[in-house]
Amino acid sequence: TTTIIESIGTYLPPKVVSTKEVLRACTRRILFPLERLTGIRFRRMAGDSEFSIDLARTAIENCLKRSEYEAEDIDLLICCNISRYDGPDFNYSFEPSTSIKLKRDLGLTNALAFDISNACAGMFTGVHAADGYIKAGLARRALVVSGEYITHLTRTAQREIEGMSDSRLACLTLGDSGVAVLLEKSASPEYGFQ
């Protein structure tokens, strides 16, 4: 048994910010070739009314628009974002989990739903877990999603960073986005994850 990606949905917030703009906004001047070293010229930043769950929700909606399946056809929903920043004024949410909220909001009535958190490798971990459910016959169709709203960490680093050896330098590379993949069993073992 192999697993394939049946559809993909993404969401990139409309605001585009360059690495040069990020460095210019730092309180202390940072003389570090961040763009040249990372290759990151631009990143997307969510607006004042968009948060982690909104990015994930839009990615799922885009994924389902491209899919031959409807929300009620999904057996498994795994949410992989590390950010739980779901509202203004640093409104963090831990319970109910993001997957449960998305299940309710999007009509994924038949889906087993849970969250996995594994930092930057979260989506790969979620895909791996979903692949296991599909191979074991515990799910026919699995939706793996992440909505990351983490550029507030960039703004904090811009105020606090002390120089190019500061561990917060990595925070200047962050961006916001949502992604969802719908996985299912392949019709042929020669196609799919090997």
Side-chain angles (χ1 to χ4, degrees), residues 43-64:
R43 78 266 298 119
R44 300 297 181 105
M45 291 189 171
D48 295 334
S49 61
E50 283 181 310
F51 302 98
S52 185
I53 196 162
D54 304 311
L55 302 173
R57 184 183 299 112
T58 304
I60 290 174
E61 290 168 349
N62 290 337
C63 185
L64 290 174

Side-chain angles (χ1 to χ4, degrees), residues 118-167:
N118 191 17
C120 295
M123 278 297 290
F124 291 110
T125 305
V127 166
H128 184 69
D131 181 48
Y133 272 79
I134 291 168
K135 285 180 176 174
L138 300 172
R140 292 168 297 156
R141 286 169 289 280
L143 192 57
V144 181
V145 63
S146 180
E148 293 297 354
Y149 174 52
I150 54 178
T151 53
H152 59 283
L153 300 173
T154 299
R155 287 189 288 278
T156 300
Q158 286 171 318
R159 287 190 306 271
E160 297 177 0
I161 199 163
E162 295 177 4
M164 59 187 226
S165 62
D166 194 305
S167 63

Side-chain angles (χ1 to χ4, degrees), residues 94-108:
F94 292 100
E95 288 294 331
S97 66
T98 304
S99 61
I100 296 299
K101 290 183 206 174
L102 292 169
K103 176 181 173 174
R104 178 195 61 214
D105 293 351
L106 296 170
L108 300 163

